[in-house]
Amino acid sequence: MISINNLTKYFGETAAVSDICLEIPRGQIIGILGPNGAGKTTTLRMLTGYITPTSGSVVVNGIDASTNFIEVKRHIGYLPESSPIYTDMLVYDYLKFIANIRDIPNSDIFKKFLELSDLCGIREVMHKSVSTLSKGYKQRVGLALALMGDPDILILDEPTSGLDPNQIAEIRSIIKEIGKKKTIIFSTHILSEAEATCDRVVIMNKGQLVADGTAEILKADKSGKKTTLITLEYTDPITVKTIFAKLKGISKIEMAETTDTLKIKLSTSDDMRVDIYNLIKKQDWILLEMIQESESLEHIFKELTKEA
Amino acid sequence: MSLKKILFIFKREVQTFFTSPIAYIVISIFLLLTGWFFFSTFFLSGRTDMRDFFNLLPIVFSFIIPAITMRLFAEEYRSGSFEIAGTLPLGLMDIISGKFLAALFFSFIMLVPTMLYPLFISSLGDLDPGPVIGGYIGAVLLAGAYSAIGVLASSLTRNQIIAFIVSASVCFFLTIISSILVFFPPYITGFFQYLSSGFHFNNIAKGVLDSRDLIYFISIMIFGLYGTFMVIKERN
């Protein structure tokens, strides 16, 4: 359980994060979205106690981070962006170092290593120097380091940036696996990732929270707007346009033609698939495809974070 | 602060020193420089003491020790790994002390081979043990003071070269200030002499352990380490 109250951070004159309030219950996977420079990393760094907020407070499991930060750090595992881990050590030595710092008794260390190396898939690189690892392995080692000492909160800063699609899928499945037991807060700018892995999505822009909720709620908030995509076998576009224009409830018609098809994008206020289908049937056009898109998270993101 | 945590940091830093070739290069350069300058005049002077060796130490240390300490924080800032160290359940002072002790330990290891010199010299004639023992105690104190300055310089920047130049300049200044006292007006020479690490080191190297000299070295160490603490706190 984390509660963030009026968290603010100034770097000189500029406010990197201003007045953020957030309650994160135990066991939630929460994704922080936002364009570059929105204040995601700064917020996460304040949560981990790496930087001190200008004002506001972070309370983790009932402990105020400003008064007892060492105790708070015990509850938090952190993977910084692009996992900047010591490159001059062997993976095994590094894990051992972190295990020692995190007060894991010597008798349990080996068991913990086995458990984490299986979870994160790093067993085959335990004897290698960190500097020789690929980016995906570095990220997994970073994740294992963050999980050492069983923190109940895991904070990950862009855990999948710079990885190939297979590695992204692996990291995501690890996150989901861990998320069954722990609270996870991670930042990303890949929207589909947030949608696929998070229980809750928070969107930040210019240091402020602009949206908060599940992906479904965020989408529903913007409902009332729907887009229907239709593909017809080639028909004269001008006729099609005049006929669709007569249909009530269509606010915008866009068309693109290829040699043998005609693609039409209709912006409607409601679900109008039945009306559209009846109209096409009446005209005897040949319908190849019809898809209704609800407002995508991407669209909401663009709406909320676009420059004024 | 917890002694156990300091020891873990210390162990890691020492491991890092000795897994890279830089450690061995630095030790070799130190031994070559001091060995050559000491023994090139040793047989000419015809004295069986180590005064010339200890006279060399402050000036050699003011360049060698910054080379040892320059990466301690600067490298962590540059690679970003300090973000991991800084978010572990550790006090800031644990990290600083661990790194400082590792640098001091390294300097000590560097001095160990030179302890063969007194064995060798005593076979040539009578060697007064007092100045030799005092010299080594002074050397460790001097290394501690310069390491603390080096740690502070390293915490100021993410660039190792800058850290080296800053700490080498400060250490060099502290070393030579007692030799350039003639340029200062007489009423402040006493103050500048007290500021000089060379002066205090020479006192101890004579075989006299005076509390004033001890306080001088210990206060430089405290100043350097506490300064580092303030710098890192301010950074974040």
Side-chain angles (χ1 to χ4, degrees):
Chain A
M1 164 88 189
I2 305 171
S3 54
I4 301 166
N5 308 306
N6 307 92
L7 201 64
T8 304
K9 179 72 184 179
Y10 276 91
F11 289 118
E13 292 286 295
T14 43
V17 170
S18 51
D19 218 15
I20 283 187
C21 296
L22 208 58
E23 290 275 332
I24 304 166
R26 184 181 284 269
Q28 199 169 52
I29 303 183
I30 175 169
I32 301 183
L33 291 174
N36 290 328
K40 302 184 298 268
T41 300
T42 310
T43 308
L44 295 184
R45 283 181 175 172
M46 283 192 280
L47 287 183
T48 58
Y50 180 61
I51 54 177
T52 346
T54 311
S55 65
S57 68
V58 177
V59 181
V60 178
N61 293 341
I63 309 161
D64 191 333
S66 58
T67 52
N68 195 348
F69 67 97
I70 295 187
E71 193 50 42
V72 166
K73 284 174 181 176
R74 239 183 266 281
H75 291 280
I76 294 178
Y78 178 44
L79 175 65
E81 197 178 344
S82 68
S83 57
I85 49 187
Y86 290 125
T87 51
D88 46 21
M89 292 175 95
L90 302 182
V91 174
Y92 178 86
D93 288 341
Y94 202 167
L95 287 171
K96 186 123 196 286
F97 169 65
I98 301 285
N100 285 335
I101 297 277
R102 287 214 177 254
D103 290 324
I104 297 177
N106 271 327
S107 50
D108 296 352
I109 284 186
F110 195 65
K111 217 177 80 201
K112 191 81 203 159
F113 279 12
L114 287 179
E115 181 195 323
L116 285 180
S117 58
D118 282 342
L119 177 65
C120 303
I122 52 169
R123 194 176 276 204
E124 61 270 36
V125 297
M126 287 297 255
H127 62 288
K128 288 190 177 166
S129 161
V130 175
S131 58
T132 63
L133 297 184
S134 69
K135 200 154 184 214
Y137 269 117
K138 266 189 199 159
Q139 203 75 6
R140 291 195 224 174
V141 172
L143 207 54
L145 295 174
L147 284 166
M148 189 68 73
D150 260 328
D152 28 281
I153 299 157
L154 203 60
I155 296 180
L156 314 168
D157 195 0
E158 300 198 1
T160 57
S161 75
L163 302 182
D164 71 37
N166 294 335
Q167 293 169 330
I168 289 180
E170 279 165 23
I171 294 282
R172 268 187 213 167
S173 69
I174 297 173
I175 290 176
K176 281 211 142 177
E177 182 63 36
I178 305 163
K180 287 174 189 163
K181 292 180 214 139
K182 296 178 195 294
T183 310
I184 299 184
I185 305 168
F186 75 91
S187 74
T188 178
H189 46 229
I190 306 168
L191 300 155
S192 57
E193 181 167 289
E195 215 170 343
T197 37
C198 296
D199 302 329
R200 179 178 170 194
V201 175
V202 164
I203 301 180
M204 282 186 80
N205 189 35
K206 292 179 186 158
Q208 279 166 331
L209 284 188
V210 288
D212 181 0
T214 64
E216 282 68 38
I217 289 176
L218 288 185
K219 284 185 197 168
D221 271 355
K222 289 270 169 180
S223 73
K225 263 195 205 163
K226 290 219 159 52
T227 308
T228 311
L229 298 173
I230 306 164
T231 311
L232 298 177
E233 202 176 72
Y234 190 80
T235 326
D236 177 39
I238 300 163
T239 339
V240 173
K241 192 162 187 174
T242 41
I243 289 169
F244 270 123
K246 285 178 196 154
L247 201 63
K248 259 190 187 165
I250 293 180
S251 53
K252 204 168 136 200
I253 307 170
E254 286 170 59
M255 285 200 272
E257 46 189 300
T258 63
T259 46
D260 46 5
T261 62
L262 181 67
K263 289 185 188 232
I264 307 154
K265 189 175 170 187
L266 301 172
S267 303
T268 58
S269 52
D270 261 316
D271 187 351
M272 290 188 59
R273 283 174 293 183
V274 177
D275 301 334
I276 293 167
Y277 175 71
N278 284 335
L279 184 81
I280 291 169
K281 203 165 72 172
K282 216 168 84 189
Q283 298 295 327
D284 226 4
W285 293 330
I286 294 167
L287 180 63
L288 299 175
E289 208 174 18
M290 174 149 81
I291 306 160
Q292 177 174 270
E293 281 186 337
S294 63
E295 200 76 64
S296 68
L297 196 57
E298 192 177 332
H299 189 86
I300 296 165
F301 181 81
K302 276 187 194 158
E303 282 280 303
L304 289 169
T305 59
K306 72 182 170 200
E307 296 292 318
Chain B
M1 289 224 312
S2 126
L3 195 64
K4 221 174 81 192
K5 301 270 167 85
I6 293 176
L7 268 176
F8 289 135
I9 300 275
F10 169 81
K11 223 173 89 186
R12 199 206 81 79
E13 290 297 333
V14 171
Q15 230 173 15
T16 309
F17 271 131
F18 287 98
T19 45
S20 77
I22 297 169
Y24 305 100
I25 295 172
V26 168
I27 292 178
S28 310
I29 290 176
F30 171 77
L31 291 176
L32 270 174
L33 270 180
T34 51
W36 166 254
F37 282 111
F38 175 45
F39 282 107
S40 62
T41 57
F42 176 76
F43 292 104
L44 297 174
S45 71
R47 281 180 283 122
T48 50
D49 62 23
M50 287 184 68
R51 204 190 302 161
D52 290 338
F53 173 74
F54 289 120
N55 280 342
L56 275 172
L57 273 189
I59 203 96
V60 175
F61 268 7
S62 63
F63 291 99
I64 292 281
I65 290 189
I68 298 168
T69 56
M70 65 182 182
R71 49 160 281 283
L72 286 177
F73 282 102
E75 175 61 20
E76 292 224 22
Y77 291 156
R78 196 194 55 74
S79 71
S81 59
F82 196 63
E83 212 170 327
I84 288 188
T87 50
L88 289 172
L90 278 174
L92 193 49
M93 217 53 203
D94 295 342
I95 302 178
I96 297 169
S97 320
K99 283 178 183 282
F100 164 75
L101 288 176
L104 187 57
F105 178 74
F106 185 92
S107 318
F108 180 74
I109 293 293
M110 198 164 69
L111 279 170
V112 167
T114 69
M115 289 173 188
L116 287 173
Y117 301 169
L119 290 181
F120 161 70
I121 294 167
S122 60
S123 73
L124 296 175
D126 263 343
L127 178 69
D128 183 3
V132 175
I133 293 166
Y136 278 108
I137 292 173
V140 170
L141 287 169
L142 186 72
Y146 285 2
S147 299
I149 292 170
V151 168
L152 174 59
S154 183
S155 74
L156 289 168
T157 167
R158 51 170 55 211
N159 185 329
Q160 294 192 38
I161 310 285
I162 294 175
F164 174 77
I165 292 172
V166 169
S167 53
S169 319
V170 173
C171 295
F172 185 66
F173 176 75
L174 288 179
T175 304
I176 59 153
I177 191 169
S178 60
S179 334
I180 53 168
L181 285 176
V182 284
F183 297 112
F184 295 112
Y187 53 90
I188 52 168
T189 49
F191 171 72
F192 277 106
Q193 192 179 44
Y194 189 80
L195 216 61
S196 160
S197 58
F199 167 74
H200 292 282
F201 175 72
N202 286 336
N203 285 349
I204 299 179
K206 278 177 202 149
V208 188
L209 262 180
D210 189 331
S211 59
R212 270 175 302 182
D213 304 322
L214 281 177
I215 288 170
Y216 170 82
F217 284 117
I218 288 167
S219 46
I220 286 199
M221 286 181 228
I222 291 172
F223 166 80
L225 300 183
Y226 189 68
T228 312
F229 179 76
M230 296 307 282
V231 165
I232 297 177
K233 230 177 152 87
E234 196 51 42
R235 254 184 110 87
N236 298 335

